[in-house]
Amino acid sequence: EWLLKGLSVYLASEMDGGASGSRMAQHLRELLSSSEAHELPPLAEMLPDHAMPAEQLDLAYAYAWDTVRYLIDLYGEYPLRTLLAWQRSGATLVLAFEPVIGISLSSFEGDWAQSLALGHARQEWVDLALRFNAMEVQDHITYLASRMFAGRQAGTPGAARAAEYIAQEFAAYGLLPAGDVLLPEDLAQDAGPSNQQEIQSDSRSYLQRFPIEFSTLLLNPQLLVFDDQTQAPEVFIYQRDFILVPEVIGSGGDVQGELIWVHDGTYEDMNLEGAIVVRQPHNPLIDEVTRAVEHGAGGLILVGFTTPEHALAKAAIPHEPLLEAPIPVMELTDAGFERLLEITGQTRHNLNTSPPALSLEMQVQMQLLLSDPQIVDSANVLGLLPGSDPNLADEVIILGAHYDHVGDNPGVEYCLEVIPSGPGLPEEVLCDVPSGRRYPGANDNASGIGVMLEIARLWHEKGYRPSRSVLFAAWGAQEIGQVGSSFYVQNPVFPLESTFAVLQLDAVGGGSGFYLEVNFDWEREAELVFTMTRAEEAVDGRLAKVTTIAEGDHVPFREAGVPTLPLSWRGASEENMPQGYDDEIEIYRLSVAGRMVALTLMTLAR
């Protein structure tokens, strides 16, 4: 009865894309609790379905399924076939088990229970995970966050240099280049040191190239307010007094016009004739821009509530913007609006009770200089460690992390560092270009790349080979909308139906929380979460499990039905802050993340 239940689910999982196994995996926590409480019956005494209470049936099937796959993982399918042949000849399970498997059934049950407590990780894997070296990760982070990469904005030379660096590291760690589709026989190749010269000289690329539309700021945006009598304009500072609206890409250019406060969002009967509109938005962004353009506005300034610190947050120019506006669009921060009120002699109350349109008797100059849009190459960097088991090598686990960030501001080379000044915000040193800030992207996401590279290095150094194949994937162009990972899902190097799981690393080196956080869907990813939970205990980790919806490179895979675990440090900033305001990298957090991910990956790839 044990084999009947266990094999029925095991074989069904091969036929239904793993759905049967996913249902069983939802009972693994309950199974572990029952095992530790010694509440499970001996396998030889498992009852048939009709003799078992309905509330116990799911747990019994999970028990049978997990023990059968443990038997196959440990001893292969041939001993199982021999065991079935003994049973067909009339031998009992208890008598047949030891001659066929080599240990008694009761000893096997004890071994399985101990293995389940570790999430089926082997001790040698635990020992290897504990050798994860966070200082090696820190070296990768320091290098990728240095000035030479200029913030790694997708489409720029800095991002291309980062991709080249990762590819070189992949080659040094014996990974096969997987930018092009590998032939089945490639999976059987030895990727160890003896094959190193062949790998490095292989003409195939580690890069999976894809096009993106690329545009960038040529100069920091300018916003000047002045009247006819004032010779020196009031200069509003980018990322202090005003910011860009990331969902809207303007046509750029340099426009000047009369500043008009528009209180009526319908713009009824208004002909603005090149005026610069400023208003508190109450309509969807698309409607705000469209109505301003339709009524002749030369530019649009929206009043926001952004604080000085959050004004420093930067979004990359999106791959597919919500709206391509033909006029420049900017947003005043809360501090910037207060400054505008002071300059114009207005109050919030006056503007909130004003006529539909009110001239503020000021001129405004808006300058937004963008490079011409161009189609350029970005790339995913893909390195493969082929599986050692011929029966499992065509199944792939992906360890992914994006390497791009949002890019430094124009003029950054002239700007000095910020100096912390006690509580509150750091005090900025005067810069030749006030907004010339660096966005090094240390935690987001050089940390994820560094952890990935250290796992590859550690495995290569110790000669570890998984049974399943592992694809190390550094995604490009994540910050503009998961473009690289989406391209892979649409053009997979390995079939998605053969992709066993994806572990996605993003911001794993710093944050305000105390735990590494995993986002999951219980119905689909219960086994992955169970495995990582057991890894947490085995390597002294810290794990928080959440089911809230999160954005990132895991989304395209999850939408395609691939079990996926996105991992980041709790409290890590998603705002893309500049140097001096961004997450501080901590060796302890890198170490916790690396140990847990390494052990989980080895256990899943067993």
Side-chain angles (χ1 to χ4, degrees):
E1 188 62 30
W2 161 56
L3 290 176
L4 179 64
K5 285 182 171 62
L7 279 172
S8 65
V9 178
Y10 184 86
L11 295 175
S13 292
E14 295 186 353
M15 304 294 291
D16 62 15
S20 297
S22 294
R23 287 194 297 271
M24 294 298 100
Q26 295 174 40
H27 299 281
L28 284 173
R29 291 188 302 182
E30 182 185 0
L31 185 60
L32 177 60
S33 297
S34 298
S35 173
E36 293 177 336
H38 305 288
E39 296 173 350
L40 298 175
L43 294 175
E45 300 175 13
M46 188 171 286
L47 297 174
D49 291 4
H50 66 83
M52 186 176 295
E55 63 271 15
Q56 297 179 11
L57 202 56
D58 284 347
L59 183 62
Y61 268 92
Y63 182 23
W65 163 75
D66 196 61
T67 47
V68 163
R69 68 175 187 152
Y70 173 72
L71 177 68
I72 294 174
D73 284 346
L74 209 57
Y75 300 101
E77 294 186 0
Y78 181 76
L80 180 63
R81 294 179 181 275
T82 306
L83 185 62
L84 292 171
W86 276 56
Q87 286 196 284
R88 284 195 298 270
S89 68
T92 65
L93 178 64
V94 174
L95 292 178
F97 201 90
E98 186 166 3
V100 174
I101 305 300
I103 61 173
S104 68
L105 182 58
S106 61
S107 295
F108 169 79
E109 290 173 316
D111 291 347
W112 167 81
Q114 292 180 11
S115 179
L116 180 66
L118 284 174
H120 295 309
R122 298 176 187 171
Q123 187 58 49
E124 60 264 30
W125 301 341
V126 175
D127 295 340
L128 183 56
L130 289 171
R131 297 180 71 91
F132 182 90
N133 188 343
M135 295 303 296
E136 295 276 353
V137 182
Q138 180 66 74
D139 289 344
H140 291 301
I141 294 174
T142 300
Y143 185 60
L144 288 169
S146 65
R147 288 176 179 267
M148 70 174 293
F149 294 97
R152 308 189 307 280
Q153 183 177 351
T156 66
R161 282 194 290 268
E164 181 181 2
Y165 171 72
I166 295 165
Q168 290 172 351
E169 295 299 291
F170 280 178
Y173 303 146
L175 301 180
L176 291 173
D180 298 322
V181 177
L182 296 176
L183 300 176
E185 56 267 25
D186 292 325
L187 295 176
Q189 292 186 30
D190 181 9
S194 63
N195 204 36
Q196 185 68 27
Q197 185 62 38
E198 178 184 347
I199 291 171
Q200 290 184 339
S201 62
D202 200 303
S203 61
R204 293 169 304 178
S205 175
Y206 288 92
L207 304 183
Q208 183 189 41
R209 300 181 184 276
F210 54 86
I212 62 171
E213 184 172 305
F214 174 74
S215 185
T216 189
L217 289 172
L218 298 176
L219 295 172
N220 284 305
Q222 301 290 316
L223 179 60
L224 308 178
V225 178
F226 52 93
D227 59 30
D228 293 336
Q229 287 75 39
T230 303
Q231 292 184 351
E234 294 285 345
V235 179
F236 281 58
I237 304 300
Y238 175 50
Q239 293 184 312
R240 189 188 73 187
D241 300 321
F242 75 98
I243 58 176
L244 299 182
V245 181
E247 298 88 353
V248 179
I249 300 302
S251 61
D254 191 340
V255 299
Q256 181 176 326
E258 182 183 5
L259 184 60
I260 303 292
W261 171 262
V262 173
H263 184 58
D264 180 6
T266 68
Y267 289 76
E268 186 176 358
D269 297 328
M270 295 184 193
N271 182 2
L272 298 170
E273 297 182 358
I276 306 300
V277 168
V278 58
R279 61 176 265 97
Q280 177 80 57
H282 297 289
N283 303 311
L285 181 60
I286 291 179
D287 292 342
E288 291 286 353
V289 176
T290 301
R291 290 175 184 175
V293 171
E294 288 176 347
H295 290 80
L300 177 62
I301 301 173
L302 301 174
V303 175
F305 301 97
T306 306
T307 64
E309 180 176 2
H310 289 94
L312 296 174
K314 184 177 181 181
I317 296 175
H319 182 58
E320 296 179 351
L322 179 66
L323 180 66
E324 292 189 4
I327 61 174
V329 180
M330 297 175 180
E331 178 184 319
L332 290 176
T333 66
D334 192 54
F337 186 44
E338 287 294 333
R339 188 173 173 207
L340 183 66
L341 292 175
E342 181 181 352
I343 293 170
T344 58
Q346 297 288 337
T347 66
R348 291 177 186 263
H349 176 75
N350 289 346
L351 296 182
N352 288 334
T353 57
S354 73
L358 174 67
S359 173
L360 298 182
E361 300 181 354
M362 289 283 173
Q363 292 288 310
V364 170
Q365 182 178 4
M366 302 174 71
Q367 186 183 77
L368 180 59
L369 298 183
L370 294 167
S371 64
D372 292 333
Q374 54 182 313
I375 303 298
V376 299
D377 271 351
S378 186
N380 298 323
V381 191
L382 307 176
L384 181 76
L385 182 58
S388 61
D389 187 334
N391 296 318
L392 294 175
D394 60 347
E395 295 185 18
V396 177
I397 297 176
I398 297 176
L399 179 62
H402 76 89
Y403 64 88
D404 66 306
H405 196 52
V406 295
D408 294 338
N409 281 355
V412 70
E413 61 271 24
Y414 304 112
C415 187
L416 301 177
E417 304 298 328
V418 297
I419 299 177
S421 57
L425 302 178
E427 177 182 347
E428 296 180 15
V429 176
L430 182 63
C431 304
D432 291 338
V433 180
S435 298
R437 294 187 175 91
R438 290 200 62 228
Y439 287 78
N443 196 35
D444 181 16
N445 185 35
S447 66
I449 293 295
V451 168
M452 176 198 299
L453 292 176
E454 169 56 9
I455 291 174
R457 184 204 67 80
L458 181 63
W459 287 5
H460 179 63
E461 180 182 284
K462 301 303 178 183
Y464 166 77
R465 289 288 301 280
S467 296
R468 291 185 171 97
S469 297
V470 174
L471 180 66
F472 293 79
W475 310 119
Q478 185 272 339
E479 294 287 355
I480 58 176
Q482 288 76 246
V483 180
S485 54
S486 296
F487 183 85
Y488 180 93
V489 168
Q490 296 162 6
N491 304 272
V493 174
F494 301 98
L496 295 182
E497 56 268 24
S498 299
T499 303
F500 184 81
V502 176
L503 300 183
Q504 182 64 33
L505 310 176
D506 197 344
V508 293
S512 60
F514 295 99
Y515 297 92
L516 184 69
E517 190 169 86
V518 58
N519 173 276
F520 70 101
D521 177 336
W522 180 250
E523 291 187 1
R524 181 182 300 159
E525 289 135 4
E527 182 179 0
L528 307 188
V529 174
F530 176 80
T531 302
M532 177 149 275
T533 301
R534 306 319 301 163
E536 174 191 16
E537 295 193 13
V539 296
D540 191 25
R542 301 177 70 93
L543 184 67
K545 300 178 285 291
V546 297
T547 56
T548 55
I549 298 174
E551 293 296 322
D553 281 313
H554 63 285
V555 172
F557 288 97
R558 188 169 278 173
E559 290 178 344
V562 180
T564 306
L565 284 188
L567 296 152
S568 61
W569 203 265
R570 175 164 281 187
S573 174
E574 296 291 335
E575 295 184 292
N576 301 326
M577 301 297 283
Q579 189 173 37
Y581 300 80
D582 52 350
D583 293 326
E584 181 180 354
I585 299 293
E586 296 184 35
I587 292 296
Y588 168 74
R589 296 172 192 262
L590 290 172
S591 184
V592 167
R595 295 195 306 264
M596 292 177 62
V597 171
L599 181 57
T600 299
L601 191 58
M602 286 186 282
T603 305
L604 295 174
R606 60 182 183 271

